[in-house]
Structure formats: C-alpha cells, structure tokens
Amino acid sequence: MKYVLGGLQWAVFLIASSIAAPIAIANVFGMDPAETALFIQRTMFVLGVACVVQAIFGHRMPINEGPAGLWWGIFVVYAGMVGVLYPTNEDALQSLQSGMIVSGVLFVLLALSGLIGKMKKLFTPAVTFTYLMLLILQLSGTFLRGMVGVGGPEDRIDGLLFIGSFLVVIVTMFTMNHKVPWISRYSVLLSIGFGWILFLLIGKADMVRPNLDQILKLPDVFVYGKPVWDSGVVVTASFITLLLIANMMASIRVMESLLKQSFAITPPDRMKQGSIASGVNHLLAGLFSAIGPVPISGSAGFVGATRMASLKPFVIGSIMLIVITIFPAVMSVFASLPAAVAYAVTFAIFTKMVEMAFYELRAESNEQRAFKVTAIGLMVGVGIMFIPQVSMSNLPHALTAVLSNGLITGTILAIIIEQFLLFRERKTIR
C-alpha cells in the first residue's frame, strides 16, 4: 500500500512540476483549447514513459523527467519565426519535432563514443554547487510570481492568493520535517491536497469538470507531419544536445550525492546508460510531437523531503502518469490543480536543494579555488538572468539559446574557470 501511495505522490508531483511548459508553449503557438489539451497529453505521456525508461534501462535512480527548459526556450524562439522563416505554426513545429529526433540520435552516439564518461569528471563539487545555486535563483522568481498571481508586467499581486500560497508553504515545511514517518514520507501529497481544498474554499480554484466526451484517447504520432531536414534546426539541436548532456549529468550527480549522504546508498556509475536512455526519450518526444525531456535536479529535493529513495514508488508513479494521460477525464482533473499550489509546494521542496548545494561546496578540498570558481560562475549566471531575451534576438538561434540561459552559461563558465585553475596548478607542480 505504501508503494501505491508513494506512486500517487510521485504522479501528482510529476504533473504539478511539468504541466506549465506545454501550456506556455501552446500559448505562444496560438493553439486552441483542444490542441492545447492534446499537446499536454502527448508531453505528459512521453514524460511518464521517459521516467520508466530511465528507471529500468538508464541511470536507475528516482529522478523525474521534465520538459527541458532549453527546448522550452527554443520553442519560444521558433514561434517568433512564424511568418518569417516558416509559413505556419505547423511548419515550425514540424521542424522542432524533427529536431527532437536529431537530438535523440546524438545522445546515443555521444554515449557510445565514450565522451560521456570523460565529461562526468568536469562536475566537481564547486561546479555542482554553482549549478544548483543558479538553478534555485533562476526558479525562485518563477515560484514567487506564481504564488502571488503575477504572470506579466501588467498583473498586480493577489493578496488572498499570496496568503493561501504562504499557508501551503508552511504546511509543506511542517509535514516535510514532521517526526511521524508517514507524514514526512507523504508530505508532498498531503500538502497538495491541503492546498487544493484551501484554494477551493477561498475561491481561488475552479471546480473540477472532468472531460467526459471521450473515455479513452491514445496520443497521436507525428502530429505535424513526417520528419523533415532543416539545417538550422539540426545545428541548434546538436548544440542543445551538448548542453542537455551537461544538464543531465548535473542532475545525476546531485542525486548520487544525496543518496550517498542521506541514505548511505552508493549507486553504480550508469551515466552512459542514462545518456542512451535520454536519446531514446528524445526520439519518443519527436515521435509523439512533444517537448524533449531531461532529468530534473529538483527530484533530489523531492526525495530529500519525502525520504523516499526507493525506485518502486517512482516507477509506479510514472506508470500511473502514463495511464492518466490516456484517460481524458482523469487528465482534466489533475490539470485543474491550481498553479499557485504547485508553485508553493515546489518552493518548499527547493529549500532542500539550497541545503544540498552548501553540502556540495563543503565537500570541496580546495576552498580557495572553489570560491573563485563559484564567484565568477554565479555573478555571470545571475547577471544574464537580468538581461531581456529580446535584446539577443539578432544573434544566431543556437547562441541565443545559450546566452539567454544564465543557468547553462554560468555552469559552463564555472567548468572552464576551474579547469584553467587546475591546469595552472598542475603546471606549477611540474
């Protein structure tokens, strides 16, 4: 029974943490409600399958897959090209769909070449700390805006929404740190349930209206047409794949560290298998016209908060998600979860990520070098977060995808700086 409840908790967390991306992308492409619902279904279906693939054949750790933020950005960039480089939305989406397949093939080839094993050595405690802090700083603004109901520059803070969100954060923190094991284990599920009921009572959530028009709906394949060759997308996908590998490696590194420190579990090195699984998952994303998935670092915060390091509930939750997506009535219920509740619960979970970041930095043997690396990485990464993306619109698409993302740019810079300092140290010793 505990595995079923744990699986349900994972399923709810997977939906709550991933549903914003397909909704936002559907909005920028002007999809109607029916198209949006199908796009959400396909994306969630791929995420569920991706989690199972990684858990069984890939890295074999409880790391949930989520829509890659880099692909999210590329979707937005390509939406702006409609009417310029692409005649219609469907043409742009067809090219992006093909880009997922290119990325999937590259993931597999890079893993088989042995490059993945060499790249793993770059993710030292100092680099992992920089990555985690940039991730937290980048998302904290999104969490808080969602908790106060501010979606754009014209919106005003909703006081009642903020009070409700604040109470959900308090309840999540309380249940996460509760002395009774079953309460802390199911803290996310309990907090989301509490928040959903609270928001219904204060009038900040819509009553659930299940979609009963269709009982069963399997996701469609190649919705925007067969794969096409687009040189621009191929170049972009190739560059994005290298960045996604770095993202994947950081997420795996964070979970490995958590399992060792908090659960005395030393997982085997399956970075190569994880990369091959990510390639398969991107091929699935292209097949089902969805968003490319990537292992999410936030899962470490979830595991740390719920103390559920076992793979069984994770796999059960992933299978639940797959089943949910093919039943429109059930999917519509979960999709009606108030966004502010999801943001509030995730905000509390990410406080665990801050703790983990400082534990990582403490594990660094050379503090002076680590401080230099993290100082430069954080300053550049955070600084980029304040530069409007529109100011980079004249740059090549692949370059825009990197420079508009403070998380990726700051992490790459931290790796370069640290490798340079290590090179100097080795040269001095000689």
Side-chain angles (χ1 to χ4, degrees):
M1 186 62 176
K2 73 174 183 178
Y3 289 140
V4 175
L5 286 174
L8 178 60
Q9 183 170 239
W10 265 114
V12 173
F13 178 70
L14 286 167
I15 294 172
S17 61
S18 303
I19 201 166
I23 291 175
I25 290 173
N27 182 58
V28 297
F29 275 97
M31 296 184 191
D32 60 37
E35 291 172 328
T36 300
L38 291 174
F39 187 59
I40 293 172
Q41 181 211 27
R42 295 194 303 272
T43 298
M44 290 298 172
F45 177 82
V46 168
L47 293 182
V49 174
C51 288
V52 174
V53 170
Q54 285 285 15
I56 297 176
F57 306 106
H59 50 62
R60 292 183 181 173
M61 287 187 283
I63 307 175
N64 67 291
E65 297 278 318
L70 285 167
W71 277 122
W72 187 346
I74 293 299
F75 268 86
V76 173
V77 169
Y78 272 70
M81 297 180 192
V82 175
V84 181
L85 294 180
Y86 298 98
T88 65
N89 286 331
E90 286 69 26
D91 291 311
L93 289 166
Q94 184 182 27
S95 292
L96 288 166
Q97 171 185 280
S98 305
M100 302 294 163
I101 296 174
V102 172
S103 183
V105 172
L106 285 174
F107 259 110
V108 175
L109 292 178
L110 289 171
L112 295 177
S113 70
L115 182 64
I116 300 298
K118 296 176 182 178
M119 289 178 65
K120 184 180 179 181
K121 298 176 182 178
L122 301 176
F123 285 84
T124 62
V127 171
T128 305
F129 170 82
T130 305
Y131 171 83
L132 282 174
M133 289 305 299
L134 287 172
L135 175 67
I136 293 157
L137 293 169
Q138 186 178 62
L139 293 177
S140 59
T142 303
F143 296 155
L144 286 172
R145 286 195 298 271
M147 289 163 60
V148 299
V150 175
E154 302 298 324
D155 294 333
R156 296 292 178 266
I157 291 176
D158 187 325
L160 187 57
L161 193 74
F162 170 70
I163 292 172
S165 299
F166 181 73
L167 289 174
V168 174
V169 171
I170 295 298
V171 169
T172 307
M173 296 288 285
F174 174 75
T175 54
M176 275 170 35
N177 298 287
H178 203 280
K179 293 181 180 179
V180 178
W182 73 267
I183 293 179
S184 60
R185 187 179 300 120
Y186 303 115
S187 56
V188 172
L189 191 60
L190 293 170
S191 301
I192 287 179
F194 165 81
W196 206 333
I197 293 171
L198 174 64
F199 274 55
L200 283 170
L201 292 175
I202 64 176
K204 292 299 178 180
D206 297 326
M207 293 299 295
V208 177
R209 295 181 177 83
N211 178 13
L212 300 176
D213 296 336
Q214 196 171 19
I215 297 176
L216 188 70
K217 176 70 173 76
L218 294 173
D220 297 321
V221 299
F222 293 135
V223 174
Y224 308 110
K226 294 180 180 179
V228 294
W229 176 264
D230 185 323
S231 58
V233 170
V234 170
V235 172
T236 300
S238 301
F239 197 65
I240 290 297
T241 302
L242 293 174
L243 300 177
L244 289 175
I245 288 174
N247 196 325
M248 175 198 72
M249 296 175 78
S251 298
I252 292 175
R253 171 77 176 78
V254 170
M255 182 58 77
E256 286 177 343
S257 179
L258 173 71
L259 294 176
K260 289 177 183 177
Q261 293 176 7
S262 301
F263 299 94
I265 299 173
T266 303
D269 184 356
R270 294 183 59 84
M271 197 71 76
K272 177 180 178 180
Q273 292 88 336
S275 181
I276 293 174
S278 286
V280 172
N281 293 338
H282 267 73
L283 291 172
L284 289 172
L287 175 65
F288 288 101
S289 308
I291 310 169
V294 68
I296 302 298
S297 302
S299 54
F302 177 88
V303 171
T306 59
R307 312 297 299 172
M308 293 181 65
S310 173
L311 264 181
K312 287 183 180 179
F314 175 71
V315 173
I316 291 172
S318 303
I319 293 172
M320 283 184 179
L321 178 59
I322 295 170
V323 173
I324 286 169
T325 59
I326 63 177
F327 289 96
V330 182
M331 189 68 211
S332 63
V333 171
F334 281 94
S336 63
L337 170 69
V341 173
Y343 283 126
V345 172
T346 309
F347 178 89
I349 288 172
F350 264 71
T351 60
K352 288 285 184 182
M353 300 286 287
V354 180
E355 296 177 24
M356 290 168 53
F358 284 102
Y359 281 130
E360 277 293 314
L361 189 61
R362 197 169 65 179
E364 180 60 68
S365 57
N366 190 325
E367 288 188 348
Q368 186 177 10
R369 183 180 68 236
F371 292 159
K372 288 180 181 178
V373 170
T374 56
I376 298 172
L378 287 174
M379 284 191 68
V380 173
V382 173
I384 286 174
M385 295 176 192
F386 288 94
I387 300 177
Q389 287 193 4
V390 67
S391 63
M392 302 181 188
S393 57
N394 61 323
L395 299 175
H397 312 318
L399 192 59
T400 301
V402 181
L403 294 181
S404 64
N405 191 316
L407 169 65
I408 294 299
T409 306
T411 303
I412 291 175
L413 186 59
I415 291 173
I416 293 171
I417 296 296
E418 183 169 54
Q419 292 303 308
F420 173 72
L421 294 176
L422 286 170
F423 171 75
R424 281 181 52 183
E425 289 175 11
R426 288 194 294 267
K427 194 174 181 181
T428 303
I429 293 173
R430 290 174 188 172

